[in-house]
């Protein structure tokens, strides 16, 4: 569980200290992000990029990437530029999603959205610059990894970030707005692309950097797809059950926008059951791995237990 | 010279048939772009991407990339995904530049701009998807090239596309609007970043794919920087001297926006002289190369002779 001040308190008995692990990884990732993106010329754009990139958050995406790389025998150092790229892409997608022409949102992570501070033009450009930067980071900062692995990871992340992933999901989401007859299939398309593709990329790219074989990739893909969908179901539930203060962003948005969500199709209790089922399947996909996979198991559980 | 119907007639005596070369490369590039970006699901976004990507144009950027790769002993096939990536990035920058929050333009290449046809939200997303797609193309479609070369090219293009290049130039351009006291230094910063960085990337990435050494990279960078600046000076001149029909986009924009340009600082005649001087320097940078560099020489001359 995450309390509103961001402190993490894990409710269940577990030999693995997820709270400590998440806190440690968050510090590492934020130090890397801060160092990798200094303010240079022209300062406005770097300030706009850093405003959203360093606005906090749990850094779950880079943590998933680092945890997968180390599970397969890689080091955190090998995967750090790739892990940071995941957060960079996530941030760019939030900046563009919040734009007036898109979701038109004023708050994100408890702060004004990028375009409210820097203007719409700078927010568009900050998103563009971050998107390009993710690939620059991976291609120029990765050390100690055979280049063919980095290329595979870039190809996977680029696909997940574009029309075949994140952007494609956002398109169908926008096209579905205000329609009452959205099916579970369409909703699942939206979320496996808009949220799921990048979460899966975190896991798969971490695995590729470590030199994963086909068997590992299949197991980890199953793990990632399940936690991705569970994550979105929980997001939909939290949008209904949480306050703005708890979420750090506008609450009740889906209802106000008359958006079809899992809770609106299934009800809250059934949505919770489905999310738990997906998490159980995700953990079952890790059965081949020993205690080294405990961070991924604990992260999966955390995905349904989180409060924001 | 390019006539208004897009047919190319080269005015000077030259053993090298630039008109034929440009026509041939344009066909190859457009075939590759068409094949590499089929319409899949969700169709709206692919249609929006293809609308701007296949809207014509001289395809000078991919041609520069292919010409540089073959100059250094590489093949067109090795460089084609990278060459296409250059056009993809160029297209995304045009889509986002034309947005209401940016230059707010209704026409581009004689057609309605992307957001006028698909809406502002889809135009933002089409640009995002194209940006990601450029790197997917390079990382997943390049064949017969050692992966470390592809990685270097990706790093260079990503840098040129982001805050250190294209986006950085656009930021200073937006910040300079309506200011009467813009210096030549600021104007040069804008153009070496907004236009020059991507033109240089075309040449440098073509060279990297071919396995260029440090000497080649230095010479070709000098060539590229000079043609890049000349290209922009000519663009500024054409904005004043051409009609909308000739340009295929709104003419007289700079004057209407009270933008400082090279002709507004230097006058048209001096601007022409400076552009010619830069082209002479670009060609001088190719002195080490034999007739294999004729396409690059002819392209440089064409940059100041073009009429749109």
């Amino acid at each position: 569980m995450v309390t509103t001040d961001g402190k993490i308190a894990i409710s269940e008995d577990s030999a693995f200290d997820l709270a400590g692990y998440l806190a440690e990884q968050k510090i590492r990732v934020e130090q890397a992000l801060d160092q990798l993106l200094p303010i240079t010329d022209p300062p406005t754009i770097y300030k706009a990029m850093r405003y959203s990139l360093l606005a906090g958050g749990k850094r779950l995406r880079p943590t998933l990437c680092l945890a997968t790389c180390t599970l397969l025998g890689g080091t955190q150092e090998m995967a750090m530029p790739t892990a940071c790229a995941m957060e960079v892409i996530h941030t760019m997608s939030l900046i563009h999603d919040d734009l007036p022409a898109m979701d038109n949102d004023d708050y994100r992570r408890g702060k004004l959205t990028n375009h409210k501070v820097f203007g719409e033009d700078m927010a568009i450009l900050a998103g563009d610059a971050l998107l390009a930067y993710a690939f620059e980071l991976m291609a120029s900062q990765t050390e100690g990894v055979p280049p063919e692995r980095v290329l595979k990871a870039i190809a996977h992340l680029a696909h997940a970030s574009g029309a075949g992933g994140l952007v494609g999901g956002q398109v169908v989401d926008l096209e579905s707005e205000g329609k009452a007859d959205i099916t579970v299939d369409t909703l699942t398309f939206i979320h496996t692309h808009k949220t799921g593709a990048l979460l899966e990329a975190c896991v798969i790219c971490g695995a590729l950097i470590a030199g994963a074989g086909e068997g590992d990739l299949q197991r980890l893909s199953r793990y990632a797809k399940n936690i991705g969908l569970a994550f979105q179901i929980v997001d939909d539930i939290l949008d209904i059950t949480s306050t703005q203060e708890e979420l750090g962003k506008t609450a009740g948005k889906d209802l106000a926008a008359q958006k079809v969500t899992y809770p609106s199709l299934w009800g809250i209790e059934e949505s919770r059951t489905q999310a738990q089922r997906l998490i159980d399947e995700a953990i079952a996909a890790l059965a081949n791995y020993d205690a080294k996979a405990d961070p991924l198991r604990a992260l999966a559980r955390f995905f349904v237990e989180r409060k924001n």
Side-chain angles (χ1 to χ4, degrees), chain A residues 4-293:
Chain A
T4 51
D5 63 352
K7 230 183 135 190
I8 293 158
I10 306 298
S11 59
E12 66 184 278
D13 285 340
S14 164
F16 181 74
D17 173 23
L18 180 65
Y21 181 78
L22 281 174
E24 196 182 297
Q25 297 300 65
K26 181 176 154 78
I27 291 170
R28 283 189 193 205
V29 168
E30 291 186 346
Q31 274 179 347
L33 288 170
D34 183 35
Q35 281 169 11
L36 288 167
L37 193 64
I39 296 177
T40 55
D41 216 26
T44 325
I45 190 70
Y46 289 96
K47 285 180 190 164
M49 294 162 78
R50 288 173 60 92
Y51 175 81
S52 295
L53 190 60
L54 303 176
K58 295 181 284 293
R59 313 302 187 185
L60 291 176
R61 288 167 186 78
T63 299
L64 272 172
C65 181
L66 296 169
T68 310
C69 183
T70 50
L71 164 66
L72 300 178
T75 64
Q76 302 234 355
E77 290 67 31
M78 287 164 71
M80 189 54 88
T82 299
C84 286
M86 302 297 152
E87 192 70 13
V88 168
I89 298 274
H90 176 55
T91 303
M92 83 70 52
S93 79
L94 299 181
I95 295 174
H96 281 191
D97 275 7
D98 288 337
L99 285 168
M102 311 273 269
D103 292 354
N104 193 21
D105 226 318
D106 292 353
Y107 287 94
R108 170 73 68 181
R109 290 175 176 165
K111 294 173 68 176
L112 283 171
T113 45
N114 199 287
H115 65 273
K116 296 298 280 184
V117 178
F118 297 95
E120 217 176 313
D121 49 359
M122 287 301 154
I124 294 169
L125 290 169
D128 293 350
L130 285 169
L131 186 44
Y133 191 59
F135 301 107
E136 184 182 351
L137 259 182
M138 289 174 74
S140 70
Q141 300 291 319
T142 305
E143 285 177 7
V145 181
E148 60 272 22
R149 291 188 195 171
V150 186
L151 267 192
K152 277 187 196 166
I154 288 174
H156 190 96
L157 178 60
H159 186 80
S161 309
L166 210 154
V167 168
Q170 173 73 349
V171 165
V172 179
D173 194 16
L174 287 168
E175 289 179 336
S176 303
E177 242 171 51
K179 288 187 192 165
D181 58 344
I182 301 301
T183 61
V184 171
D185 282 355
T186 302
L187 195 62
T188 301
F189 180 94
I190 293 170
H191 294 314
T192 52
H193 288 75
K194 191 174 168 179
T195 324
L198 185 58
L199 284 168
E200 192 191 1
C202 295
V203 172
I204 295 300
C205 293
L208 288 168
I209 292 291
E214 203 43 54
D216 284 323
L217 289 173
Q218 278 178 16
R219 281 186 284 275
L220 290 163
S221 172
R222 208 178 120 216
Y223 164 83
K225 283 191 164 80
N226 281 304
I227 62 166
L229 201 49
F231 186 87
Q232 189 57 48
I233 295 174
V234 172
D235 238 34
D236 286 358
I237 297 171
L238 291 175
D239 184 74
I240 298 170
T241 59
S242 296
T243 63
Q244 174 162 337
E245 198 190 352
E246 282 168 332
L247 282 185
K249 62 183 178 182
T250 315
K253 265 177 62 184
D254 298 338
L255 213 62
Q258 296 187 292
K259 256 194 179 171
V260 174
T261 64
Y262 291 106
S264 80
L265 290 174
W266 293 336
I268 288 185
E269 274 320 299
E270 175 62 15
S271 298
R272 282 202 176 114
T273 305
Q274 290 289 346
Q276 188 57 53
R277 186 186 56 76
L278 290 164
I279 292 304
D280 293 344
E281 280 184 27
I283 291 172
L286 302 177
N288 271 31
Y289 306 106
D290 63 9
K292 262 187 141 179

